[in-house]
Amino acid sequence: MDKLADTKVKKQNPEHSTIIAEKNTHIGEGYFTVIAGPCALENEEIALQTARAVESAGAEIFRSSLFKPRTSPYTYQGYGFEGIEILKKIKKETSLLIESEILTTEQLENIGDELDIIRIGSRNMDNYELLKEVGKTNKPILLKRNMSATLEEFLLAAEYILSVGNENVILCERGIRTFESYTRNTLDILAVPALKELTHLPVIVDPSHSTGKASLVPSASKAALAAGADGLIIEVHPNPEKAFSDGEQSLDLDSFEKLMKELYELAKVVGKKTSKPVLA
Ligand code: PEP
Ligand code: MN
């Protein structure tokens, strides 16, 4: 890791953390923050129902991709630009902040300003031109680790964003490719403390894409919190069986609420703060 010695990701300023002051949501700095919502935006009714449920369960940020990078070009590609109106409605009608994935600079130009957090998905972790463009914004950037990236490659991708002036990068471990096929990916749980050793940036975990199975999401989530993660990004859908994408790894509303209660208990044990009052 020598090459990172003089870089901005290095723990030069332990005080620094990503803070989204709006609506009093914090990411990093000892807080535990949950981003939750469907894999993809499907329609207004499902989005609003999910948003209200995840908000009351304790999530602070709504996830819902408007554009989907899909392995097959024949599967659902996302709702598209018009979906931003639905996300804006969610922001108005709930206390949630909104985040979504950006795949291209065109999408960034069109809707970047409307989002509270911009996600760069694992397939774009090494799209250096896109990284530089989001680096020119002042938005928090949730950067997902590429499924085959070493931690050094991951941090150098973060460096592309930081080096052009945007210091608000949130790292996301989302599982890596291994020989194991029972899970969709292999959650590299030690990436959490390792990244914390190497950098001051907040680190969150995606228990949905790392496992690929709703049954394993609670264990992965608790392991992540116990390992020191600053938060989670979790896929939730009111009716996972009917979801347009990733239903098999999405929690239904009741399972999400149950998990949040357990996580809030664990957060107290591991000494993490929550911006929202801890649920009863
Ligand atoms: C996602 O979070 O919507 C996603 C596609 O995950 P990843 O980029 O980690 O594959
Ligand atoms: Mn998904």
Side-chain angles (χ1 to χ4, degrees), residues 38-40 63-65 67-70 99 101 103 119-124 142 144-147 172-175 184-185 206 208-210 233 235 245-246 249:
C39 174
R63 83 148 267 149
S64 186
S65 306
F67 312 98
K68 292 302 304 167
R70 304 301 303 279
E99 76 91 51
E101 179 166 355
L103 300 173
R119 182 182 346 124
I120 298 293
S122 54
R123 285 156 197 80
N124 268 321
L142 197 168
K144 297 188 88 174
R145 180 184 183 183
N146 180 279
M147 56 203 84
C172 179
E173 160 58 29
R174 49 78 73 204
R184 184 173 179 180
N185 291 283
D206 176 343
S208 308
H209 293 88
S210 55
I233 177 165
E235 287 185 339
S245 56
D246 286 351
Q249 67 192 32

Side-chain angles (χ1 to χ4, degrees), residues 18 28 30 39 41 54 73 80 85 148 162 167 173 176 195 199 259 274:
T18 298
C39 174
L41 189 75
V54 299
E85 297 307 321
S148 347
L162 272 72
E167 304 226 318
E173 160 58 29
I176 51 174
L195 288 167
T199 167
L259 173 60
T274 48

Side-chain angles (χ1 to χ4, degrees), residues 106-125:
E106 186 209 0
Q107 293 166 5
L108 178 67
E109 278 160 24
N110 277 283
I111 58 159
D113 283 348
E114 310 286 357
L115 299 171
D116 298 307
I117 300 183
I118 294 171
R119 182 182 346 124
I120 298 293
S122 54
R123 285 156 197 80
N124 268 321
M125 185 206 87

Side-chain angles (χ1 to χ4, degrees), residues 40-51:
L41 189 75
E42 298 178 5
N43 64 48
E44 182 171 327
E45 192 191 339
I46 292 179
L48 272 165
Q49 183 188 0
T50 313

Side-chain angles (χ1 to χ4, degrees), residues 41 62 64 66 83-91 98:
L41 189 75
F62 187 68
S64 186
L66 304 180
I84 194 67
E85 297 307 321
I86 299 175
L87 295 189
K88 276 159 62 179
K89 193 164 183 183
I90 285 168
K91 184 161 175 180
I98 50 174

